Amino acid sequence: MIAAETEGTATKGFAVHEAGTNFQPFDFVRRKPRPNDIAVDIQYSGICHSDIHQAKNEWPDIMPATYPLVPGHEIVGRVAKVGDAVTKFKVGDIAGIGCIVDSCRECQPCQSGVEQYCIKGAAFTYNGTEMDRVTPTYGGYSDKYVVDENFAMKVNGEGDLAGVAPLLCAGITTYSPLNRFKVGPGQKVGVVGLGGLGHMGVKLAVAMGADVTVFSTSPSKEGDARKLGAHNFVLSKSAEAMEPLRNTFNFILDTVSAPHDLMQFLGLLGLNGVMVVVGVPPEPTMFHQGSLIMGNRSLVGSLIGGMPETQEMLDFCMKNNVRSDVEVITPDRIPEAYDRTIKSDVRYRFVIDMQNV
Ligand code: NAP
Ligand code: ZN
Ligand code: ZN
């Protein structure tokens, strides 16, 4: 470990070593901060369903898992060190790290602030490599992260940092499409699936002034949906409840993590209505083209958000007092949190306390 201290940043993490196995403690060394880097002592790390898909290698064709895999891309912590050229942060500041930690910075998407679509391929926070395409990235289920300050967010405001961590993925992934399609007052918005992303989608769409309906498979979530600010709650399995809503929505955000029928929701869109899919189920889905053609509807995808928009989302959340509803756990409970999330029994984001590992 002495070598690690001099050559890099000794880090304690939790990794899966192959698909289907449990998390084990995993010590590794992050790079020594470079001039533009900050070293962050991680306080909280959210559990996103993408972590589960990847730990289980459920996306072998689009994002195959590389082991050992240390997930976690909803990271909040305190800046412990800053490189000589760092201008945005000082020691003691609170920083957020989301799904990407670098990109080529030169291509058109990077120049436009949508680094997640970097033509050369962004460096994902975990299950990827740095831009050298060699050094593996390990995520936030660990006690430290070293990142270029340009890929870290400023968290202004100290209260409930556990509820801030999920904003770095669930928050931006829902904010970005709501923002892009200018969701606001007078619009009827549906959110499909009330999990980590879904509950943030509800809070954000409500904060933006829209009339929000939750579509859920879990009857027990109705009370929570209303507490989150939703105006309406519909059991998507009930044909009786769904039928009268046909052709009535302006915008629908589909956050579901498992295979499901898209046409059921496309049919709810009115003329020129838009449905954005952010959920990435393991298997592809089929739908009839007619469900788009009738009503001039659009079906759109969206991937997290770029650095400027992620900072904008965080500032929006701070200003409007929006946080994630979280259940804070210790790392030994990660397997239980995974099982409960898969069973849709998450209220509404598990967040790992990484401060005493
Ligand atoms: P989550 O917390 O597990 O929530 C998913 C919700 O989907 C569940 O709570 C449940 O809501 C619903 N659901 C689950 N199984 C279902 C089924 N068989 N049929 C219908 N509904 C079902 O997951 P999450 O963290 O929000 O992530 C959701 C998805 O988004 C994942 O696939 C994840 O990989 C993806 N994601 C994408 C991006 C992006 O950039 N596009 C970013 C982050 C995550 P109800 O109980 O209300 O039905
Ligand atoms: Zn995520
Ligand atoms: Zn690029």
Side-chain angles (χ1 to χ4, degrees), residues 127-193:
N127 195 31
T129 60
E130 293 185 15
M131 293 310 285
D132 64 6
R133 297 296 179 223
V134 179
T135 313
T137 52
Y138 297 121
Y141 297 9
S142 62
D143 66 347
K144 293 185 178 68
Y145 211 105
V146 176
V147 62
D148 187 302
E149 66 164 336
N150 293 302
F151 289 81
M153 305 298 130
K154 292 272 283 189
V155 178
N156 300 310
E158 285 250 352
D160 183 23
L161 283 180
V164 171
L167 304 179
L168 275 305
C169 175
I172 183 59
T173 302
T174 50
Y175 179 90
S176 183
L178 292 168
N179 196 25
R180 171 174 162 200
F181 291 99
K182 303 191 173 22
V183 161
Q187 282 182 321
K188 231 180 131 180
V189 168
V191 175
V192 187

Side-chain angles (χ1 to χ4, degrees), residues 49-50 53 194 196-197 216-218 221 255 278 280 302 304 349:
H49 207 119
S50 300
H53 291 308
L194 196 62
L197 267 57
S216 174
T217 58
S218 307
K221 293 182 182 173
T255 74
V278 287
V280 192
S302 186
I304 48 172
R349 198 53 137 191

